[in-house]
Amino acid sequence: MAAILIQNACLLPIDEAMSIIDRGWMHVENGTIQAIGSGEPPRIEGAELIDVDGNVIMPGMVNPHAHLAMTLFRGLGEDVDDRLFRYVLPMERKFVSPEMVRVGTLLGALESIEAGVTTIADMYYYETEVGRALDQAGLRGVVGQTLATFDPPDHKTIDQGFALVEDLVSEFSGHERIVPSIAPHAPYSTDIDVMARVARWAEDHPDVPVQLHLAEMDSEMEWCRKNHGLRPVAVVEKAGLLRPGLIAAHCLHIDPFEIERMAKADVRVAHNARSNAKAGRGIAPIEAMRAAGIKVGIATDGPMSGNTLDLFSQFGPVSMFQKLLGHSRKPMPAAQVIRMATLEGAQVLGLDSRIGSLEPGKQADLIRIDLSAPRMQPIYDIYATLVFSAMPVDVQDVMVGGRWIMRGRKVESLERKEILRDAGQIATAFKAEMARIDAAG
Ligand SMILES: [Zn+2]
């Protein structure tokens, strides 16, 4: 790929000091960042010069927990208390197919790109389709095949589930942007002997990250107590899954002792502030987790529970909930929120040697954010502006591995119209099924 020299940027490299480089420049070549600096850029023979007119250039954002295909369930039965059992689970059993997963994931990929998210950890069914869709979108993904014992749509037995995992691994191992992953659903939905089998399998596959939901709900606490006499973290530990690199989503019900155990085990956390709040579940103690050294990323969860796949709409809740917990303005400063959305998210996924910050040698995953909207002006603290004022629509350009996948808000890697049409067709079938369920009483 030809050399690119970006200049006149407000550069946020996400280094240790969370520096802000005014009039910054960056040299990208062969998909990687060659150099960054401030002031007069160097002369590079044959390089394409891009003057970004003082816009922010920062790393592409990392979403460490999502179910992209669930875009198709977004807003369905929003205020129906038992919507999961009334609509969602029966409809998943009826409609989830490789084609539905493909279309839903493409819709989610489109939304992610338009919001400046360049890496997503996903867990769902037919996950090979998710890997293919993210590859087509030009995004990075950690794609986790779900394993569960509640009769999920794509496997009747755990052996069949493992066969899907093996297919996923053989299709994507060594892929430059797609990382295959294994995803036991949660302690209450994946039997302890299955989690133990996953732990043994993971020992033999150190490059395949393990993802699961953990300590998310009151009913999960109750289930673990009744069935194991333990709290969820202890159940996962008993199964041998509390291991380095585990990507644990939610982690609301975590006490100080468990924080210590998780930090020691090098477990990482995907924080889903908005979806947890919408379900009335509570607030994860992420300030305490980060103080103990646990890496915490900002995640969206599936769009059925969180509605959007952009991180901007997470920033307010992520920051404000910790301030509410601490009864102070001080917890979770804006710069730390942006750090979690980028480098720390990459650390959660074990990808921080390649992405998450703008430094020479790393992959050129970057986004350009326009600051000219009235709601962004004036600017005293760029991080506060990004956390509390910026919106997905302010993202102008998105690059992954040196390739522009969005320029001037036009996604170049995907066919927008086709995806919206296909998603609309599936939603029509979903609406008919909901009417049928309602008519049946
Ligand atoms: Zn989830």
Side-chain angles (χ1 to χ4, degrees):
M1 270 181 259
I4 294 169
L5 188 63
I6 293 168
Q7 54 186 346
N8 198 14
C10 171
L11 208 58
L12 305 178
I14 318 295
D15 55 11
E16 207 43 54
M18 293 301 285
S19 310
I20 300 162
I21 303 177
D22 284 325
R23 293 197 62 238
W25 56 264
M26 180 187 306
H27 171 200
V28 172
E29 200 166 341
N30 296 325
T32 55
I33 299 164
Q34 306 291 321
I36 66 168
S38 64
E40 211 38 55
R43 284 187 171 280
I44 293 154
E45 192 69 10
E48 180 194 355
L49 293 179
I50 300 172
D51 187 322
V52 296
D53 197 20
N55 288 176
V56 162
I57 296 286
M58 62 178 271
M61 289 188 256
V62 178
N63 178 1
H65 181 72
H67 315 285
L68 292 178
M70 294 191 84
T71 45
L72 297 170
F73 290 97
R74 185 187 344 245
L76 186 152
E78 188 69 65
D79 298 314
V80 179
D81 216 18
D82 65 343
R83 69 169 177 170
L84 185 68
F85 294 96
R86 182 176 177 85
Y87 299 123
V88 180
L89 291 179
M91 286 172 69
E92 278 195 324
R93 247 166 236 133
K94 181 159 183 172
F95 289 107
V96 172
S97 65
E99 175 61 8
M100 176 257 166
V101 170
R102 183 188 74 83
V103 172
T105 304
L106 286 173
L107 182 61
L110 193 58
E111 179 184 355
S112 301
I113 295 171
E114 290 188 358
V117 172
T118 52
T119 300
I120 301 139
D122 187 85
M123 49 192 283
Y124 204 56
Y125 311 110
Y126 298 110
E127 199 68 20
T128 303
E129 291 294 336
V130 177
R132 290 174 187 161
L134 291 179
D135 186 25
Q136 187 189 339
L139 288 164
R140 283 182 210 283
V142 175
V143 295
Q145 170 64 43
T146 296
L147 291 178
T149 32
F150 55 61
D151 188 26
D154 65 348
H155 56 283
K156 292 280 159 233
T157 67
I158 291 301
D159 283 343
Q160 285 172 1
F162 267 93
L164 292 172
V165 173
E166 296 286 358
D167 288 349
L168 181 72
V169 170
S170 69
E171 181 157 338
F172 291 107
S173 63
H175 192 287
E176 61 179 313
R177 285 177 290 102
I178 307 298
V179 179
S181 162
I182 184 167
H185 183 266
Y188 60 88
S189 49
T190 313
D191 289 347
I192 192 162
D193 53 332
V194 177
M195 287 197 287
R197 182 170 163 189
V198 171
R200 290 191 300 274
W201 187 91
E203 282 295 315
D204 297 332
H205 299 81
D207 296 334
V208 180
V210 183
Q211 314 178 47
L212 92 168
H213 297 103
L214 180 60
E216 178 186 2
M217 295 179 279
D218 293 338
S219 58
E220 174 184 356
M221 303 297 289
E222 185 55 22
W223 190 94
C224 288
R225 196 189 56 74
K226 253 194 182 154
N227 288 275
H228 298 287
L230 295 168
R231 289 165 58 90
V233 172
V235 174
V236 169
E237 183 164 30
K238 193 175 170 191
L241 259 189
L242 209 68
R243 57 196 299 285
L246 177 70
I247 303 160
H250 302 295
C251 299
L252 267 66
H253 301 281
I254 302 287
D255 66 21
F257 171 75
E258 289 165 332
I259 288 177
E260 221 173 275
R261 290 291 309 121
M262 288 166 64
K264 222 173 176 180
D266 190 19
V267 169
R268 297 104 193 248
V269 171
H271 177 45
N272 302 272
R274 209 172 115 117
S275 86
N276 295 152
K278 271 193 73 200
R281 290 195 175 127
I283 302 172
I286 58 165
E287 280 266 300
M289 289 180 193
R290 295 182 78 230
I294 296 174
K295 300 298 177 202
V296 181
I298 297 174
T300 61
D301 206 352
M304 191 191 80
S305 3
N307 298 68
T308 67
L309 292 166
D310 70 277
L311 297 197
F312 292 107
S313 50
Q314 304 295 328
F315 291 165
V318 166
S319 175
M320 289 187 249
F321 293 174
Q322 299 304 308
K323 292 179 196 305
L324 284 167
L325 277 184
H327 293 278
S328 158
R329 261 182 189 284
K330 273 197 154 169
M332 202 47 70
Q336 291 304 305
V337 174
I338 298 300
R339 191 176 183 82
M340 290 165 71
T342 52
L343 181 62
E344 204 162 319
Q347 288 167 332
V348 169
L349 302 183
L351 296 173
D352 50 302
S353 66
R354 305 188 68 213
I355 59 163
S357 59
L358 304 179
E359 52 183 305
K362 281 201 178 179
Q363 293 288 302
D365 287 16
L366 57 92
I367 60 176
R368 172 182 176 174
I369 299 178
D370 176 33
L371 301 170
S372 66
R375 80 188 118 72
M376 310 265 265
Q377 294 290 329
I379 295 168
Y380 296 104
D381 171 349
I382 187 63
Y383 292 114
T385 302
L386 292 172
V387 168
F388 293 112
S389 301
M391 297 173 79
V393 71
D394 301 312
V395 178
Q396 294 300 312
D397 304 331
V398 176
M399 175 186 276
V400 176
R403 173 190 173 205
W404 294 112
I405 56 174
M406 182 170 86
R407 285 202 92 172
R409 290 213 53 76
K410 185 182 181 316
V411 176
E412 297 186 346
S413 52
L414 295 173
E415 294 296 335
R416 200 170 200 279
K417 254 193 185 161
E418 248 172 56
I419 293 168
L420 294 176
R421 181 202 62 206
D422 292 351
Q425 277 172 3
I426 293 173
T428 302
F430 282 15
K431 280 176 198 161
E433 179 65 11
M434 283 178 79
R436 199 192 60 77
I437 291 170
D438 288 341

